[in-house]
Amino acid sequence: MPKLTDRFGRTIDYLRLSVTDRCDLRCTYCMPEGFHDFETPDHWLSFDEIERVVAAFGRLGVSRVRLTGGEPLVRKGLPELAARLGELAEIDDLSLSTNAVQLARHAEALHAAGVRRLNVSLDTLDPARFAAITKGKLEKVIDGLMAAKAAGFAPIKINMVVMKGVNDDEVEAMVDFCLEHGFTLRFIETMPMGETGQAASDTYLDLREVRARLEQRFELLPGVMPGGGPARYVQVAGSDLKIGFITPISQHFCESCNRVRLSVDGTLYLCLGQEHHLGLREPLRAGVSDAGLEALIREAIELKPERHEFQDHPGQVVRFMSMTGG
Ligand code: SAM
Ligand code: SF4
């Protein structure tokens, strides 16, 4: 199998695929309120185009694909796309990041399509606070999570962006919730993505503080999580609960970065925190051959920068997280 390796010796085997830049929530740190400047669907890759790109990545050694967004479940026909990608021989790990608002309706179809691993954003267990952070209804998310559990997804990871003075008092409650339901828990530091992420920077909390707090109540053993990505994991002694800390700001993890991101308009972004990119939509629509597509992907990988610069240049990223998919 040919490998995609970048200038810094990192092997790229993971593609994050943003299937829409729209969302049915408005998380304060992510999607601007009144944000209507969406790419028109004409500019979105069709399912055929997405499948071609993913197949090309597969031939180049990428075996893991995550569907994300925006909110992937607002893209019409998502389970159908998942099934098509799940049938590609080279892709052996298909996963989904979702806010779970519409998950109850789609959980079974997605599981049948071959999606197994699920990441669900959940920052609070308090309905009023949930509404304040996301403009949505907590109840739907909980229904979605329970439907996913019943459908057999494993692991189900809860992603909680921990914000000082907003939800940091709920860290222990979220641990209890995940213990009760057998979910994995991941805490995330706020990143200065787009204006919204930059505005949320004053609620930034160094997760080392959260970890120290948890150590007062739980015994935390060193843990590992297969396919765990950038999170550093611990295991809560006496339980199956794994807790991950995603610390792009306080302890960046760029040296082990294994991923690139394809936005819904067919732009390949080489780093979440940098602008380096290469457009695939035009060549696709101009009839590029499979070999030509693979050559373009290899060319793009050459552009992958060594690291993000959230800390040195926090004002530089103009993209919202919803464009390139977290
Ligand atoms: N809508 C889906 C969801 O919420 O899981 C998938 C896309 S969302 C952009 C992916 C992840 O990015 C979520 O876990 C969300 O909490 C996180 N995210 C968005 N903006 C962020 C920011 N400024 N800092 C840290 N995490 C952020
Ligand atoms: Fe939507 Fe996910 Fe962004 Fe929240 S984090 S606004 S759910 S895309």
Side-chain angles (χ1 to χ4, degrees):
M1 179 73 72
K3 276 197 175 155
L4 273 180
T5 308
D6 76 358
R7 292 177 293 147
F8 306 98
R10 297 171 296 193
T11 298
I12 310 304
D13 62 2
Y14 182 33
L15 175 67
R16 294 184 64 105
L17 188 65
S18 176
V19 295
T20 177
D21 56 7
R22 300 181 179 186
C23 187
D24 44 5
L25 293 182
R26 287 287 177 276
C27 301
T28 43
Y29 47 75
C30 178
M31 186 84 70
E33 253 182 272
F35 177 58
H36 296 302
D37 189 20
F38 295 114
E39 287 278 63
T40 62
D42 269 359
H43 293 129
W44 288 7
L45 295 192
S46 66
F47 285 1
D48 286 344
E49 289 167 335
I50 291 175
E51 193 180 343
R52 263 201 88 197
V53 175
V54 174
F57 269 102
R59 290 192 299 275
L60 292 170
V62 167
S63 59
R64 305 171 55 204
V65 174
R66 175 171 293 275
L67 301 166
T68 180
E71 173 46 43
L73 293 180
V74 307
R75 177 88 189 240
K76 219 171 147 221
L78 187 77
E80 183 208 324
L81 176 66
R84 286 172 69 168
L85 301 183
E87 274 170 26
L88 297 173
E90 294 87 354
I91 305 305
D92 54 28
D93 177 18
L94 191 58
S95 56
L96 172 73
S97 287
T98 175
N99 60 27
V101 168
Q102 302 190 43
L103 188 56
R105 218 162 5 117
H106 296 297
E108 282 194 13
L110 288 165
H111 195 267
V115 180
R116 289 293 173 271
R117 300 189 308 111
L118 208 59
N119 287 2
V120 173
S121 291
L122 183 60
D123 298 335
T124 172
L125 295 166
D126 176 81
R129 196 178 265 183
F130 185 85
I133 298 173
T134 72
K135 302 275 179 299
K137 285 204 172 83
L138 176 64
E139 201 187 302
K140 290 190 181 168
V141 176
I142 301 296
D143 288 351
L145 272 170
M146 296 310 136
K149 204 173 145 180
F153 286 93
I156 298 175
K157 296 181 189 161
I158 302 294
N159 280 343
M160 176 182 187
V161 178
V162 188
M163 294 164 279
K164 204 185 206 96
V166 176
N167 64 349
D168 55 331
D169 56 342
E170 283 192 74
V171 159
E172 288 84 357
M174 203 61 92
V175 171
D176 290 335
F177 177 75
C178 291
L179 273 170
E180 181 187 344
H181 293 287
F183 301 147
T184 298
L185 177 55
R186 306 198 310 169
F187 297 118
I188 304 179
E189 287 178 346
T190 317
M191 288 174 250
M193 298 284 301
E195 286 157 39
T196 46
Q198 284 162 25
S201 292
D202 53 354
T203 61
Y204 167 76
L205 185 64
D206 183 331
L207 287 181
R208 286 173 290 194
E209 285 177 41
V210 171
R211 183 173 169 155
R213 229 170 80 194
L214 288 176
E215 275 167 347
Q216 295 178 2
R217 203 184 127 188
F218 303 99
E219 188 188 349
L220 303 180
L221 308 169
V224 278
M225 183 86 189
R232 294 175 163 81
Y233 279 93
V234 295
Q235 171 115 18
V236 175
S239 80
D240 290 335
L241 178 63
K242 292 191 177 69
I243 301 180
F245 297 86
I246 302 185
T247 55
I249 309 298
S250 64
Q251 301 164 284
H252 77 78
F253 35 70
C254 305
E255 62 287 348
S256 59
C257 185
N258 63 346
R259 60 203 54 202
V260 293
R261 296 173 158 83
L262 185 69
S263 71
V264 67
D265 66 359
T267 309
L268 195 56
Y269 286 97
L270 287 313
C271 172
L272 185 60
Q274 300 270 16
E275 289 298 350
H276 308 71
H277 65 272
L278 192 136
L280 294 180
R281 186 182 71 235
E282 279 191 21
L284 277 170
R285 294 190 180 171
V288 70
S289 65
D290 283 351
L293 190 54
E294 287 169 31
L296 280 172
I297 292 172
R298 285 195 182 281
E299 202 179 297
I301 298 300
E302 286 295 304
L303 302 173
K304 190 168 166 63
E306 187 170 13
R307 48 165 299 184
H308 70 63
E309 292 170 322
F310 285 139
Q311 238 167 345
D312 315 334
H313 305 287
Q316 87 177 11
V317 179
V318 293
R319 273 175 355 253
F320 297 106
M321 192 72 107
S322 50
M323 282 182 68
T324 26

